[in-house]
Amino acid sequence: MDLKFSVAGRIAKPVDEVFEAVVNPDRLSHFFTTGGAKGRLETGAVVTWDFHDFPGAYPVRVVEVERDKRIVLHWDAAENSAEPDAEGKRQTTVTMTFEPLEDSRTLVRISEEGWSETPEGLKASYGNCEGWTGMLCAMKVWLEHGLNLREGFYK
């Protein structure tokens, strides 16, 4: 059985603005990718995300983008175990959903799955769960108040 998790939060902005903050690399770099993002999230694209807390540009494979509704990504798991991709690395699947709420807010859900049920897989899943929770918090504060919570947090 693979490990998986889901986190969610409500952001007081319309769904199109919240969605654009994720797919646009310039906006994403303001609150999530402390080392920068390169490439717009579009179906079939391979983009890179860089983080000061985990230096190095990480390739992110964009599986599906449905405007203002859903984004599905694959990226390398931080573990070495069974079910590797063609390059010999295990991939996890990240699914983000965006749901407009009646009061002009947006409910964002982020799920990730695909780690093996090993101590390494468990540790990697906890780390990513922490990261996605931090991303949601930082995105909320940046979109609603223009503040970057991650500035100086990791470096």
Side-chain angles (χ1 to χ4, degrees):
M1 176 179 190
D2 283 340
L3 300 172
K4 57 186 170 183
F5 64 82
S6 184
V7 297
R10 288 159 183 79
I11 298 175
K13 291 292 179 178
V15 70
D16 60 331
E17 190 173 333
V18 176
F19 186 87
E20 184 64 20
V22 176
V23 298
N24 182 319
D26 295 329
R27 293 186 184 181
L28 190 68
S29 295
H30 281 331
F31 63 87
F32 182 50
T33 54
T34 51
K38 293 185 178 147
R40 185 173 177 84
L41 297 184
E42 298 174 332
T43 300
V46 177
V47 302
T48 57
W49 290 349
D50 198 347
F51 303 92
H52 286 312
D53 46 333
F54 294 98
Y58 289 86
V60 178
R61 291 151 192 86
V62 186
V63 176
E64 176 188 348
V65 175
E66 184 179 356
R67 179 107 188 119
D68 297 341
K69 294 183 186 212
R70 177 177 154 105
I71 299 168
V72 180
L73 312 168
H74 286 169
W75 66 349
D76 294 344
E79 63 167 312
N80 293 321
S81 60
E83 299 181 41
D85 68 2
E87 298 172 0
K89 296 179 182 175
R90 185 178 182 91
Q91 299 278 292
T92 61
T93 301
V94 177
T95 303
M96 300 181 191
T97 61
F98 302 81
E99 179 183 336
L101 303 174
E102 291 179 13
D103 54 1
S104 296
R105 296 186 309 157
T106 301
L107 174 60
V108 181
R109 283 192 178 91
I110 303 173
S111 304
E112 190 166 4
E113 61 185 311
W115 293 276
S116 61
E117 195 171 317
T118 64
E120 295 81 15
L122 183 62
K123 181 178 179 183
S125 71
Y126 281 178
N128 281 29
C129 185
E130 176 186 351
W132 289 120
T133 301
M135 182 265 214
L136 282 175
C137 293
M139 181 167 54
K140 179 177 179 64
V141 171
W142 184 71
L143 285 172
E144 293 180 13
H145 306 285
L147 301 173
N148 184 342
L149 287 182
R150 294 175 65 95
E151 183 77 33
F153 195 79
Y154 295 103
K155 183 177 179 187

